Amino acid sequence: MILECTECHTRYLVPDSAIGADGRTVRCASCKHSWFQAGAPMLDLVARAEAAPIAPPPVAPRVQADVETPPEPLPASSPATGAAASPYEDYDAFAHEPPFRPRRNPARRWTVAALAAGIAMLAAAALVFYADLPGLAGQLFRPATGTPLKIVSKPVDQHTFNGNEIFAVSGIVLNPTDTRQPIPDIRADLRDAQKRIVFSWIIRPEATTLPPKGQVQFNSAQVNVPVNAQELVLSFSGEAAH
């Protein structure tokens, strides 16, 4: 028997016994449309009752994903009657088939990748601490507000140049430890008589790291600072100024 989908007009070749004399509901493997398919005797009556022939629609490529004709088994005798049993007695052409392969779980792959990254980070940290790299561990794992460096400032120099009031700040940064230390930026705050900050700027020293017991100079100048500035406070950037 040839079945044709009423939606996409895909045709299928199935045994007559798969539909039966009373007909059954079938589904198209191509567009998933379902319809009631009459049995073979009813199909003949309907074909003869049609008054005018209708041009057949274009035939789509034959698809046999869900409907396949199984190989014919050897005839077997029925235990009750001794007659040969039908080769399609237990065959259902429209039964659902299991998936070809299990789907992969993307969440499991991300979990494995995260574990691998964590192990790599722990290995890198152990290498830094045990390879005796000078000051590297301190630079990587020191909190931003915990530097042991000291600031020693020189007296402020105020003078006039080309009609502008110059406010010059200088000093040195000391490393009292036995390891190399990174040098944070220096924050300069000018405060009034009530200890309120009226002017601030950032000073960058001439070096980025200091060797053990080393020191480095810094210099900075500003123009037209507020006239109510009474006090200069220097601190490392990220630390609370006292």
Side-chain angles (χ1 to χ4, degrees):
M1 176 182 295
I2 298 177
L3 303 186
E4 180 177 348
C5 176
T6 59
E7 290 292 329
C8 66
H9 305 290
T10 302
R11 292 186 174 185
Y12 303 92
L13 178 63
V14 298
D16 293 347
S17 59
I19 302 301
D22 297 331
R24 62 173 291 175
T25 300
V26 295
R27 187 183 67 174
C28 178
S30 178
C31 67
K32 309 304 180 184
H33 172 67
S34 299
W35 73 92
F36 180 82
Q37 179 63 50
M42 295 183 66
L43 287 176
D44 295 339
L45 293 177
V46 171
R48 290 192 298 268
E50 292 180 347
I54 301 176
V59 179
R62 181 177 177 181
V63 179
Q64 286 188 311
D66 291 345
V67 180
E68 296 182 357
T69 303
E72 296 184 1
L74 296 176
S77 299
S78 172
T81 62
S86 172
Y88 306 108
E89 182 176 357
D90 297 329
Y91 173 70
D92 188 354
F94 300 93
H96 291 286
E97 296 182 359
F100 292 102
R101 64 183 64 179
R103 295 181 177 179
R104 297 181 178 178
N105 187 0
R108 182 177 180 182
R109 290 185 294 175
W110 282 111
T111 302
V112 173
L115 289 176
I119 294 174
M121 292 178 63
L122 290 176
L127 178 62
V128 168
F129 280 108
Y130 292 103
D132 195 21
L133 302 178
L136 182 56
Q139 296 179 30
L140 293 178
F141 301 98
R142 179 183 304 282
T145 59
T147 178
L149 302 182
K150 305 297 182 183
I151 299 176
V152 179
S153 61
K154 297 180 181 180
V156 176
D157 179 18
Q158 288 183 276
H159 59 276
T160 302
F161 181 76
N162 290 337
N164 295 320
E165 185 71 19
I166 304 298
F167 190 88
V169 178
S170 61
I172 59 175
V173 178
L174 299 176
N175 179 12
T177 68
D178 295 328
T179 58
R180 179 176 292 274
Q181 299 292 335
I183 306 177
D185 291 339
I186 299 173
R187 176 186 175 92
D189 294 326
L190 289 176
R191 300 185 179 187
D192 59 10
Q194 287 75 35
K195 304 298 182 180
R196 296 174 301 188
I197 298 177
V198 296
F199 191 77
S200 297
W201 74 96
I202 296 298
I203 303 173
R204 288 183 172 82
E206 299 176 357
T208 57
T209 61
L210 270 181
K213 308 301 181 181
Q215 64 182 26
V216 64
Q217 293 185 352
F218 63 89
N219 297 278
S220 179
Q222 297 291 324
V223 297
N224 300 325
V225 299
V227 296
N228 60 338
Q230 299 292 326
E231 181 185 6
L232 172 66
V233 178
L234 297 177
S235 61
F236 289 112
S237 181
E239 290 185 332
H242 301 287

